[in-house]
Amino acid sequence: MEKIYYPNEETVKNAMQTDDPLLLLVAHDGRRLIVSSIDDAGEHLILLRLAGYEDMDLDKYFRLVVNKDGADWTFVCPSNYENITNKSKRIQRFYKDGFSIIPLALNEIGYMVGIDIPRRYRRHIDMM
């Protein structure tokens, strides 16, 4: 997995040492992880831009906020995810893929924490 640290690895590692929240973008295919302290990027779209990627690429990533207490998954399933037209099946696949790939990314940066989908993002899960 390619790891991209913003603004650099040392800054992110320092944030990890003090348990500052991190923003993570994990590519749906599991090939790339972009990570930053929340103080350095602010939000996922800004982090994507700062890492040199286009806004349109945001839907290619699982989005998380992480610290040593856990990982909050911003559960937003793109309407074209895996080209699955059935909304319920698409959300099920997104959920399954996320819970397969996200733990690998968390492990890559040394976090063995639970993954939570905050209540405000659960509207799609209720459809399953």
Side-chain angles (χ1 to χ4, degrees):
M1 182 176 291
E2 173 191 14
K3 289 181 272 197
I4 298 171
Y5 294 96
Y6 181 83
N8 56 56
E9 186 173 359
E10 181 182 355
T11 301
V12 172
K13 297 284 183 175
N14 287 339
M16 293 168 72
Q17 291 297 321
T18 58
D19 199 27
D20 287 343
L22 303 176
L23 291 175
L24 266 67
L25 291 167
V26 182
H28 292 161
D29 64 7
R31 293 183 182 172
R32 179 178 303 122
L33 166 64
I34 305 171
V35 59
S36 175
S37 162
I38 201 166
D39 292 334
D40 288 318
E43 65 178 49
H44 292 100
L45 183 60
I46 294 170
L47 173 57
L48 189 66
R49 288 178 190 157
L50 292 170
Y53 295 92
E54 298 291 326
D55 292 3
M56 298 298 290
D57 289 342
L58 186 61
D59 282 345
K60 297 177 183 176
Y61 293 88
F62 299 110
R63 303 168 229 173
L64 297 107
V65 178
V66 179
N67 72 358
K68 293 177 184 171
D69 291 329
D72 288 342
W73 180 6
T74 304
F75 192 92
V76 179
C77 181
S79 60
N80 64 346
Y81 186 74
E82 297 293 325
N83 296 313
I84 300 171
T85 55
N86 179 288
K87 187 174 185 176
S88 180
K89 291 190 183 305
R90 181 175 62 244
I91 291 168
Q92 288 174 13
R93 175 70 180 270
F94 184 75
Y95 181 88
K96 180 182 172 193
D97 290 350
F99 272 101
S100 295
I101 294 169
I102 292 169
L104 300 174
L106 292 169
N107 188 51
E108 284 282 323
I109 60 169
Y111 281 78
M112 299 297 288
V113 297
I115 300 168
D116 182 52
I117 301 172
R119 183 177 305 255
R120 66 187 166 277
Y121 295 109
R122 292 188 185 181
R123 70 185 192 288
H124 291 303
I125 293 171
D126 293 338
M127 295 176 65
M128 296 192 310

